[in-house]
Amino acid sequence: MKKETTVALSMGVILGLIVAIVMIVKIKHDETQKTKSITNIVITPTIAPNQQILSLEITDPSDSVIVNTNTISVKGKAAQDSLIVIQSPIKEITLKNAKTNFSVDFPLSFGENVIRVTVYPKDLTVRSQERLLRIYNLDEQ
Amino acid sequence: MKIKFQLIFYWSIVLFFVIVVAKSVASAESVATPSGTMQIDKQVQNLKDKIASKVEELRKKDQKALAGVIKSIEKDNTIKIVANDGRDLIVKYDNSLTKIFLVAGTTKKETQFSDLQMGDYIIVTGPIMDITISANYIYKDDQFVVQVGKVTEVNKTDYFIKVISSEKDTYTLDIETYTKLFLMDIKTLEMSKSGTSKIKEGDTVHFVVIRTEKEKELNRHSAERILVIPQEYFSK
């Protein structure tokens, strides 16, 4: 290829790139100008500390599990300082969890144990939460 | 000169590979000695045993049971039940393999297939395939309902209370002489034995009843246990 042709091509490409960049910048600038009036109002919602309620979670035991023991540890997570009520056909326990994680030893009878865990958060405006577990204490040897 | 360098280079590569192969053959031979083979077999066997016991441990840990009310008993020894989650399930009974027990307090008592009836609440364990369970064990047990709700009516003459549950069902609970009734202290959270006179409309109650499927009135049961949380706890 001739030297002159190469120079002409290069200059053409460079010029083209410059034009493209200028156009893109201009379009972006115009867009921000158009939407400026909408973005003037900035909404920053603030969540008050008492609205951050942790959902009740039972980490152990799993529902419908078969065990061969007379006690089980009911472990879970709930909002701090909640009233926790655990009830089954043979026992009920009430406690307040000083920490998010809780663990309670609960007795089991032979056969099916229907255990309801209810949490009443410290913030009384928040609804209570419940979980139902069925634990099967069976001696299958 | 150039050819000389190339020759040296190629021969170096060949020599390198020869050395590497020789070394790997030598190490393989040392492992394949009689004492080396026995050691490997022992290690493999130990690993197999560990894996087998771990699998067994996980299998036991993940074993689950299903329970439901008998809907029908077929002539081919299959039982149709409605599970607690509302699903229709089929339980396959095998004369020679399935064992049936009656849950009696803290123990179980072996019983016959003919002792099972429609309306009985059973717990079934065994392999589950889709909606069919091949029963290894069947336990006939009481169907306990454990619920929580708000008191809407207290009848101190006829000793019953009406409760609306969190699921919006209305229960009528008859307070019997055997009903274990506790009241929670709103400050200490301690529970103490109490009577019907301490229950007020608006109190929250946690209760346990036995569902027999033969109730004359829908959701009317004799209460086994009641725990009363006074409404004052929620207004402090």
Side-chain angles (χ1 to χ4, degrees):
Chain A
M1 197 187 282
K2 283 185 181 172
K3 199 180 173 182
E4 294 81 7
T5 317
T6 316
V7 168
L9 271 171
S10 311
M11 282 180 70
V13 166
I14 292 165
L15 207 64
L17 278 170
I18 293 168
V19 167
I21 290 166
V22 165
M23 279 183 70
I24 289 166
V25 167
K26 198 175 182 310
I27 289 166
K28 271 195 173 171
H29 181 70
D30 286 345
E31 273 180 1
T32 49
Q33 284 293 327
K34 278 181 192 171
T35 56
K36 209 176 179 180
S37 55
I38 297 167
T39 55
N40 267 344
I41 302 164
V42 175
I43 300 164
T44 49
T46 50
I47 300 169
N50 63 2
Q51 288 180 14
Q52 291 168 344
I53 297 297
L54 183 66
S55 284
L56 168 61
E57 187 189 332
I58 304 295
T59 52
D60 199 46
S62 307
D63 188 30
S64 304
V65 75
I66 299 173
V67 299
N68 183 7
T69 175
N70 290 330
T71 9
I72 204 157
S73 281
V74 178
K75 294 177 187 173
K77 290 180 187 173
Q80 206 172 346
D81 291 330
S82 297
L83 166 64
I84 301 174
V85 178
I86 305 175
Q87 188 181 45
S88 81
I90 61 166
K91 183 84 179 166
E92 44 278 298
I93 288 175
T94 55
L95 67 134
K96 211 153 213 183
N97 59 325
K99 293 180 183 177
T100 311
N101 292 323
F102 65 87
S103 176
V104 178
D105 287 334
F106 202 83
L108 297 177
S109 65
F110 188 80
E112 183 181 66
N113 290 264
V114 183
I115 302 173
R116 186 174 286 271
V117 182
T118 309
V119 164
Y120 299 97
K122 189 181 177 184
D123 182 356
L124 300 171
T125 61
V126 178
R127 277 188 77 159
S128 61
Q129 297 172 67
E130 299 166 28
R131 292 288 180 274
L132 191 72
L133 298 170
R134 289 177 197 275
I135 310 300
Y136 297 95
N137 182 9
L138 305 169
D139 175 21
E140 291 189 343
Q141 296 280 332
Chain B
M1 191 70 170
K2 199 179 175 181
I3 293 167
K4 230 186 184 177
F5 272 124
Q6 277 179 346
L7 274 170
I8 293 168
F9 176 70
Y10 291 140
W11 278 110
S12 318
I13 292 170
V14 168
L15 198 65
F16 171 76
F17 276 115
V18 164
I19 293 167
V20 164
V21 167
K23 262 200 161 178
S24 51
V25 165
S27 60
E29 274 176 4
S30 69
V31 165
T33 55
S35 60
T37 311
M38 272 173 64
Q39 219 175 8
I40 289 173
D41 285 345
K42 204 178 172 185
Q43 284 173 353
V44 166
Q45 190 56 42
N46 280 343
L47 190 60
K48 276 184 187 175
D49 292 340
K50 277 185 184 172
I51 291 170
S53 62
K54 188 69 183 173
V55 164
E56 183 61 22
E57 191 189 307
L58 286 171
R59 189 188 68 83
K60 277 189 176 167
K61 192 182 166 191
D62 289 339
Q63 263 191 339
K64 299 214 171 180
L66 283 170
V69 176
I70 296 179
K71 206 164 79 166
S72 65
I73 300 173
E74 310 298 323
K75 285 179 185 172
D76 60 350
N77 286 349
T78 56
I79 306 168
K80 288 187 180 171
I81 65 170
V82 180
N84 287 311
D85 57 8
R87 286 185 301 160
D88 286 337
L89 300 172
I90 297 166
V91 177
K92 283 193 170 170
Y93 166 78
D94 187 306
N95 275 327
S96 48
L97 292 171
T98 309
K99 288 195 172 181
I100 303 180
F101 297 97
L102 180 67
V103 174
T106 55
T107 57
K108 61 188 181 194
K109 186 180 141 189
E110 194 156 357
T111 186
Q112 308 296 321
F113 183 75
S114 51
D115 290 336
L116 298 176
Q117 294 171 358
M118 244 175 66
D120 283 349
Y121 186 72
I122 57 171
I123 303 162
V124 186
T125 65
I128 302 166
M129 183 75 81
D130 196 22
I131 59 164
T132 306
I133 317 154
S134 301
N136 290 335
Y137 297 94
I138 298 175
Y139 301 84
K140 185 176 159 182
D141 198 358
D142 287 324
Q143 186 183 12
F144 285 97
V145 173
V146 180
Q147 264 292 0
V148 58
K150 268 214 164 53
V151 178
T152 56
E153 184 185 332
V154 181
N155 188 314
K156 293 178 186 178
T157 320
D158 296 327
Y159 295 102
F160 69 81
I161 60 172
K162 285 198 174 181
V163 176
I164 185 157
S165 74
S166 47
E167 286 144 25
K168 308 297 177 204
D169 294 316
T170 302
Y171 287 85
T172 305
L173 306 178
D174 290 304
I175 316 264
E176 312 288 355
T177 49
Y178 57 76
T179 304
K180 292 184 173 62
L181 207 157
F182 299 95
L183 181 71
M184 188 189 86
D185 185 299
I186 63 171
K187 287 178 186 165
T188 64
L189 307 187
E190 298 279 325
M191 291 180 286
S192 56
K193 283 187 181 173
S194 185
T196 323
S197 57
K198 299 282 172 118
I199 309 176
K200 308 179 300 296
E201 281 177 29
D203 285 347
T204 297
V205 291
H206 291 248
F207 59 90
V208 178
V209 299
I210 298 177
R211 184 176 281 155
T212 61
E213 304 293 322
K214 291 168 189 167
E215 283 84 15
K216 288 176 187 171
E217 198 179 310
L218 180 66
N219 285 343
R220 182 165 192 152
H221 309 276
S222 297
E224 298 291 316
R225 306 180 81 90
I226 297 177
L227 167 65
V228 182
I229 301 177
Q231 56 192 273
E232 286 79 12
Y233 177 83
F234 300 101
S235 56
K236 58 179 182 172

